[in-house]
Amino acid sequence: MKKFLTAVVVFIIFSAATVHAEIKTYTGVGEYLLTEETLAFGKNQAEISAERDILDKICLYVKGQSLMIDNELDNDEVITISAGILHVTDTKFSIEDVTEGLLVKAFVTAEIDTDELESLLEREIKARSAKK
């Protein structure tokens, strides 16, 4: 009976530790118009654009800062932190012949661990606050 209770307690502890972690899947699309560059370069640029598209979807923190001098806007800055840790699981490409050249499209699927994002977000906010 004692072993059974110990096993139940261990099971509860381990299941409680893993319940909070959540991995979400996102997809992004990126394009690059290839004129004189190599196909590998165009694919790389389209893939980077698709990953940026995913990061835009998961933006977690937005802060605006404006500086007025003599009633005129001198500086206006919007800070966004995506704290993006992408674990790319799939990348597909399509190439389309258009008038200007070749249009390379990348379709990226990535998984993101929300616990990892939260810790990175906290670290980034503290780092930006310390720079002031």
Side-chain angles (χ1 to χ4, degrees):
M1 184 69 175
K2 204 173 195 182
K3 288 182 181 181
F4 175 75
L5 289 176
T6 305
V8 169
V9 170
V10 169
F11 175 76
I12 291 172
I13 290 172
F14 281 115
S15 62
T18 58
V19 168
H20 191 266
E22 183 178 3
I23 295 178
K24 293 186 177 183
T25 302
Y26 293 87
T27 56
V29 178
E31 296 180 346
Y32 185 80
L33 182 61
L34 194 61
T35 53
E36 296 179 9
E37 304 86 1
T38 65
L39 183 59
F41 179 81
K43 283 183 171 182
N44 185 45
Q45 294 302 309
E47 187 174 13
I48 290 170
S49 179
E51 290 174 2
R52 191 173 295 128
D53 182 41
I54 292 172
L55 290 176
D56 287 345
K57 292 176 183 177
I58 61 161
C59 182
L60 297 173
Y61 175 78
V62 177
K63 179 181 178 182
Q65 294 178 333
S66 300
L67 177 63
M68 302 266 309
I69 298 177
D70 296 328
N71 289 328
E72 289 187 26
L73 185 63
D74 184 58
N75 186 15
D76 192 21
E77 181 179 26
V78 176
I79 300 168
T80 61
I81 300 173
S82 295
I85 295 272
L86 297 179
H87 301 287
V88 176
T89 57
D90 188 35
T91 303
K92 293 185 172 130
F93 295 98
S94 73
I95 301 169
E96 187 178 323
D97 197 5
V98 294
T99 320
E100 301 86 13
L102 292 176
L103 183 63
V104 179
K105 289 185 181 180
F107 304 92
V108 174
T109 303
E111 292 180 342
I112 298 168
D113 185 344
T114 56
D115 283 348
E116 216 172 333
L117 278 176
E118 289 173 13
S119 65
L120 283 173
L121 177 62
E122 288 173 15
R123 186 174 1 145
E124 187 66 26
I125 291 171
K126 286 178 186 175
R128 286 181 185 249
S129 297
K131 288 181 183 178
K132 290 183 180 182

